[in-house]
């Protein structure tokens, strides 16, 4: 417990945050790859000697990782000396890294012989080798396919670079100059953090600085507990799906029960799918406060109170239950490269769970599913191999009780200017904008989806579009608001050879191919028929809503003018119910409702119980076999649980070597 007076604590809190911001600016200004210097997929921060993050930037970099715990990586190094810099990108070494492209560095900061803290940070490398350009695809099935993995080790030992490690890394990646340039920028960022902390030590003394580190963690803890105390105790359950658990697969269910008791909460993910034979697994090691399942929680806390201290103290009042061998806690060597898609879906689920307790303070469903684009191609003028991230194609934010959702923006990823994109890789961007009518209708409209159309010119070009989703199931509306639109991915749109690519995330292109990719829209909040006519008309004038789309708001517009008589008549009619009562006033999309006529929560809970009684290596296989059998069972719609049991019994007869454990036993 900190003994500092509040004024000194606030001064040092500001100093720590400014140090983290300075680290981020150093990295941003010196990085080489577009994905770091433009999209800002990086972190910078400061941790206690045991790895608890006590300072992060507010607006720069990947705000997902507020509160990231470096303990697993720090403990893997037996000793630290001034001038050391350590590195890892292995998802299974301490569960600090979460997929291979994320290169984490940490550097001890000493005052004399005393270890004060660590300067830390990561960047997302455009490529770390592996089976596909950019290293990531849903189709990969084990971590060995996702690029070179470096266990925790010293990259710089007492000021001397470990050239052996560096050569091995650069030999195994597709664009070594990018990786080396970004790595040097990371090192510069850490040294900026060291300089700022030493400034504080010189001014306040080492004891006061160390006291303040723990004081700001305690402050965040108190702030988070205050918010929980405002909520009614209860169990808030939310279920959502990823369209496909593997290429062409069946949906992946994610289930969350937030159990609020007093000023604490448990996030129970029991009932989520077994680990997958695809790269959607989220490597947490079962750690109760791992940052990935708690990203949405951090966003909820910050949405409710923008004055909170952004550090690991926010996580103290919560803990997660993450069943071993599940998609939220896979066992080695499960692939993890696409864990960001799973994390994004869980982020929305956390918002959905808390919105049941506070529907007037939290938004409807965020969009998701657009894709983060990378292109590997050849510049035909020079013969130069080119590879870069060209832009995140994002959806929007959900509408809320206060305002419309933000258009074309989701999470922390920044827009990359078209001029930068075309300078990085030889493509031509034909269109970039928002998709009309993609935001869910509501008193406050859901945010619109972004869309990009571009053309490639060289043979053997490869486009990766990781995190593609929301083609089948869209997000949800709140308090009578409607779901957002699903997303799309087309090759050569508007031609005789038009091809719908669905959730494909690796596309090999011929010269002249055109790709058009759009995200999904976000959910609306509140009854659309209560949206003021002037706001609907303004949306139509700006091209955000079409005249046909205005009918969802009960507004009839022709030639840019509201037909008052027809509008009044339309708004006076009873609105058809899109779905029955749901917890918290959610509005679910028709595709999900149709799917759940068979795969209800009860049926899937039963399936989950059966699957988790099996050895880990059998679960994904059995899930797909049971889905196929239930789909072929004519009686499944009337009694899906019985259909699951018939399929399960039949498969046990075919595969007695599965040797199921007692139902309900731990994985």
């Amino acid at each position: 417990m900190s003994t500092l007076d509040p004024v000194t604590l606030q001064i040092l809190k500001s100093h720590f945050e400014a140090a983290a911001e300075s680290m981020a600016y150093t990295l941003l200004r010196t990085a080489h790859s577009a994905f770091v210097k433009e999209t800002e997929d990086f972190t910078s921060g400061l941790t206690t000697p045991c790895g608890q993050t006590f300072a992060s930037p507010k607006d720069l970099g990947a705000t997902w990782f507020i509160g990231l715990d470096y303990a697993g990586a720090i403990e893997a190094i037996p000793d630290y000396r001034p001038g050391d810099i350590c590195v890892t990108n292995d998802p299974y070494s301490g569960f600090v890294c979460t997929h291979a492209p994320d290169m984490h560095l940490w550097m001890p900061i000493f005052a004399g012989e005393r270890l004060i803290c660590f300067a830390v940070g990561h960047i997302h490398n455009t490529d770390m080798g592996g089976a596909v350009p950019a290293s990531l695809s849903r189709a990969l099935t084990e971590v060995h396919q996702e690029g070179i993995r470096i266990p925790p080790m010293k990259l710089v030992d007492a000021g001397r670079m470990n050239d052996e490690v560096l050569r091995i890394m650069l030999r195994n990646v597709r664009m070594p100059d990018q990786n080396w340039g970004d790595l040097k920028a990371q090192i510069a960022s850490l040294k900026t953090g060291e300089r700022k902390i030493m400034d504080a030590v010189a001014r306040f003394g080492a004891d006061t600085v160390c006291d303040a580190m723990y004081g700001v963690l305690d402050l965040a803890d108190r702030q988070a507990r205050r918010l929980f105390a405002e909520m009614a105790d209860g169990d808030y359950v939310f279920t959502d799906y990823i369209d496909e658990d593997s290429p062409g697969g069946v949906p992946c269910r994610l289930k969350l029960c937030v159990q609020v008791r007093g000023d604490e909460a448990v996030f129970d993910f029991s009932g989520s799918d077994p680990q997958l034979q695809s790269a959607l697994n989220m490597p947490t090691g079962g750690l109760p406060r791992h940052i990935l399942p708690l990203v949405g929680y951090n966003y909820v806390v910050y949405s409710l109170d923008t004055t909170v201290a952004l550090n690991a103290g926010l996580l103290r009042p919560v803990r997660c239950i993450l069943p071993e061998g599940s998609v939220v806690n896979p066992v080695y060597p499960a692939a993890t490269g696409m864990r960001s898609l799973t994390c994004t879906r869980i982020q929305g689920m956390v918002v959905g769970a808390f919105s049941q307790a506070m529907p007037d303070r939290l938004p409807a469903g965020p969009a998701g599913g657009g894709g983060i684009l990378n292109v590997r191609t050849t510049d035909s003028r020079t013969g130069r191999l080119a590879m870069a991230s060209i832009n995140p194609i994002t959806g929007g934010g959900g509408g809320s009780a206060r305002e419309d959702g933000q258009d074309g923006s989701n999470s922390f990823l920044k827009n990359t200017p078209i001029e930068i994109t075309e300078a990085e890789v030889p493509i031509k961007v034909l269109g970039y904008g928002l998709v009309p009518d993609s935001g869910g209708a509501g008193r406050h409209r859901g945010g619109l989806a972004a869309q990009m159309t571009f053309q490639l010119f060289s043979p053997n070009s490869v486009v990766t579009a990781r995190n593609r989703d929301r083609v089948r199931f869209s997000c949800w509306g709140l308090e009578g608001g409607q779901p957002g639109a699903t997303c799309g991915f087309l090759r050569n749109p508007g031609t005789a050879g038009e091809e719908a690519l669905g959730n494909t995330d690796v596309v090999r292109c011929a010269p002249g191919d055109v790709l058009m990719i759009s995200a999904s829209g976000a959910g609306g909040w509140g009854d659309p028929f209560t949206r003021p006519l002037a706001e609907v008309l303004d949306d139509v004038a700006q091209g955000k809503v079409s005249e046909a789309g205005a009918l969802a708001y009960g507004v009839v517009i022709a030639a840019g003018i509201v037909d008052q008589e027809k509008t009044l008549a339309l708004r006076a009619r009873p609105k058809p119910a899109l779905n029955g009562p749901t917890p918290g006033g959610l509005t679910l999309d028709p595709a999900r409702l149709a799917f759940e006529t068979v795969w209800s929560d009860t049926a899937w809970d039963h399936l989950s119980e059966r699957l988790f009684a099996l050895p880990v290596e059998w679960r994904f296989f059995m899930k797909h076999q049971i889905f196929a059998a239930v789909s072929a069972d004519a009686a499944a719609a009337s009694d899906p649980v019985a259909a699951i049991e018939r399929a399960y019994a039949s498969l046990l007869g075919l595969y007695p070597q599965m040797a199921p454990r007692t139902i309900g036993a731990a994985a």
Side-chain angles (χ1 to χ4, degrees):
M1 180 68 68
S2 173
T3 58
L4 289 182
D5 65 275
V7 174
T8 303
L9 181 62
Q10 285 297 323
I11 290 171
L12 278 164
K13 173 179 175 290
S14 297
H15 187 101
F16 297 152
E17 291 171 350
E21 294 277 354
S22 294
M23 294 171 66
Y25 274 118
T26 297
L27 181 52
L28 186 68
R29 291 169 177 171
T30 58
H32 283 220
S33 69
F35 205 54
V36 177
K37 66 186 180 184
E38 296 291 342
T39 307
E40 295 189 22
D41 197 345
F42 67 84
T43 59
S44 60
L46 299 163
T47 80
T48 64
C50 61
Q52 296 292 299
T53 299
F54 65 86
S56 302
K58 281 194 172 183
D59 299 312
L60 293 171
T63 54
W64 271 19
F65 289 105
I66 295 164
L68 182 61
D69 186 354
Y70 271 81
I74 288 172
E75 293 167 0
I77 306 299
D79 68 290
Y80 290 96
R81 295 183 292 173
D84 286 349
I85 297 177
C86 303
V87 61
T88 186
N89 74 321
D90 181 14
Y92 289 99
S93 291
F95 298 97
V96 175
C97 300
T98 55
H99 61 184
D102 283 358
M103 184 72 72
H104 285 260
L105 268 60
W106 62 102
M107 181 178 75
I109 300 175
F110 288 87
E113 296 184 357
R114 180 179 181 180
L115 176 60
I116 297 292
C117 63
F118 285 90
V120 302
H122 97 283
I123 61 161
H124 180 105
N125 287 281
T126 301
D127 179 82
M128 283 301 293
V132 300
S135 306
L136 305 177
S137 170
R138 189 188 316 238
L140 304 182
T141 58
E142 58 181 32
V143 70
H144 305 290
Q145 300 166 327
E146 297 178 327
I148 185 172
R149 291 183 298 135
I150 302 169
M153 61 176 60
K154 291 187 179 182
L155 176 67
V156 180
D157 190 349
R160 183 175 180 179
M161 177 67 70
N162 187 335
D163 292 325
E164 302 276 334
V165 173
L166 187 61
R167 280 199 297 269
I168 292 170
M169 181 185 76
L170 297 181
R171 183 60 62 90
N172 282 277
V173 301
R174 291 176 173 86
M175 300 296 290
D177 288 346
Q178 277 191 12
N179 291 59
W180 177 223
D182 285 347
L183 186 62
K184 288 186 287 186
Q186 278 187 278
I187 292 171
S189 171
L190 299 183
K191 292 184 176 180
T192 297
E194 179 185 39
R195 186 172 66 253
K196 295 294 184 180
I197 288 296
M198 295 314 297
D199 288 346
V201 170
R203 180 178 177 185
F204 294 96
D207 289 341
T208 300
V209 168
C210 289
D211 200 1
M213 293 176 193
Y214 296 100
V216 296
L217 292 170
D218 294 340
L219 173 63
D221 182 5
R222 293 192 300 272
Q223 290 172 319
R225 290 181 187 277
R226 185 177 66 228
L227 291 171
F228 275 119
E230 296 175 5
M231 299 181 192
D233 284 2
D235 293 352
Y236 302 102
V237 180
F238 200 95
T239 301
D240 207 345
Y241 306 93
I242 298 171
D243 287 349
E244 302 172 353
D245 61 5
S246 55
V250 300
C252 168
R253 182 176 80 151
L254 298 164
K255 186 173 183 180
L256 168 64
C257 178
V258 178
Q259 302 161 6
V260 177
R261 301 290 186 273
D263 63 358
E264 297 184 339
V266 173
F267 289 62
D268 188 354
F269 288 89
S270 301
S272 297
D273 263 10
Q275 73 182 59
L276 309 176
Q277 284 293 306
S278 72
L280 296 167
N281 300 295
M282 205 166 74
T284 63
L287 299 175
R289 292 177 181 85
H290 195 281
I291 194 59
L292 284 185
L294 292 173
V295 169
Y297 160 74
N298 276 337
Y299 286 174
V300 165
V301 171
Y302 189 61
S303 296
L304 295 174
D305 181 0
T306 58
T307 69
V308 294
L310 300 178
N311 62 51
L314 294 178
L315 307 184
R316 289 180 182 172
V318 302
R319 65 180 179 88
C320 296
I321 297 173
L322 303 159
E324 186 179 18
S326 70
V327 66
V328 295
N329 181 16
V331 297
Y332 172 85
T336 67
M338 296 276 285
R339 63 31 175 176
S340 49
L341 171 52
T342 306
C343 185
T344 298
R345 190 65 66 251
I346 289 175
Q347 172 189 326
M349 291 168 58
V350 172
V351 174
F354 278 105
S355 70
Q356 296 172 37
M358 298 177 148
D360 59 335
R361 297 183 64 185
L362 291 169
I372 298 172
L373 299 181
N374 289 272
V375 174
R376 184 188 69 80
T377 187
T378 303
D379 188 334
S380 297
R381 298 165 297 180
T382 65
R384 177 181 65 92
L385 179 67
M387 181 174 175
S389 169
I390 65 170
N391 224 10
I393 305 302
T394 55
S400 70
R402 299 184 302 276
E403 59 191 357
D404 292 347
Q406 192 172 30
D407 296 325
S409 177
N410 194 19
S411 192
F412 62 87
L413 299 174
K414 307 297 194 299
N415 174 72
T416 301
I418 297 302
E419 295 83 357
I420 298 294
T421 293
E422 293 184 336
E424 290 281 332
V425 284
I427 64 173
K428 183 177 182 181
V429 177
L430 304 177
Y432 186 39
L434 300 173
V435 181
D437 297 328
S438 55
R443 167 60 187 85
H444 291 125
R445 175 179 48 74
L448 301 181
Q451 182 181 82
M452 177 180 280
T453 306
F454 61 96
Q455 187 172 26
L456 302 105
F457 300 100
S458 298
N460 305 315
S461 296
V462 179
V463 175
T464 61
R466 67 181 173 98
N467 293 3
R468 290 283 306 140
D469 197 50
R470 292 296 196 199
V471 169
R472 181 173 183 180
F473 304 123
S474 70
C475 65
W476 38 274
L478 186 62
E479 295 293 298
Q482 302 308 306
T486 53
C487 61
F489 194 11
L490 299 176
R491 191 205 305 261
N492 298 322
T495 70
E498 179 176 297
E499 177 186 4
L501 297 171
N503 284 320
T504 302
D505 60 17
V506 178
V507 183
R508 301 186 184 278
C509 298
D513 274 354
V514 173
L515 296 179
M516 183 170 73
I517 184 169
S518 59
S520 56
W525 190 97
D527 182 356
F529 280 25
T530 64
R531 187 170 177 85
L533 301 185
E535 293 182 20
V536 179
L537 187 61
D538 187 52
D539 277 345
V540 172
Q542 293 187 54
K544 294 183 176 183
V545 175
S546 66
E547 290 187 354
L551 296 175
Y553 298 87
V555 180
V556 180
I557 298 176
I561 299 173
V562 175
D563 187 317
Q564 296 284 350
E565 183 178 347
K566 290 182 179 179
T567 294
L568 290 173
L570 180 57
R571 287 193 164 190
R573 295 177 189 170
K575 296 185 295 297
L578 293 188
N579 58 291
T582 59
L586 305 177
T587 308
L588 305 179
D589 73 283
R592 173 171 172 172
L593 292 170
F595 175 74
E596 289 180 341
T597 58
V598 173
W599 289 103
S600 64
D601 208 43
T602 299
W604 211 310
D605 281 346
H606 187 78
L607 173 65
S608 183
E609 183 182 30
R610 289 300 190 193
L611 293 177
F612 275 90
L614 302 174
V616 171
E617 67 272 15
W618 280 94
R619 295 172 186 172
F620 181 81
F621 171 80
M622 282 290 285
K623 174 192 169 185
H624 279 241
Q625 296 297 308
I626 290 173
F627 254 82
V630 170
S631 296
D633 189 333
S638 59
D639 193 346
V641 171
I644 291 169
E645 277 301 296
R646 287 192 292 273
Y648 186 78
S650 175
L651 289 163
L652 283 180
L654 286 174
Y655 305 108
Q657 64 270 39
M658 283 190 297
R661 296 188 291 272
T662 302
I663 300 298

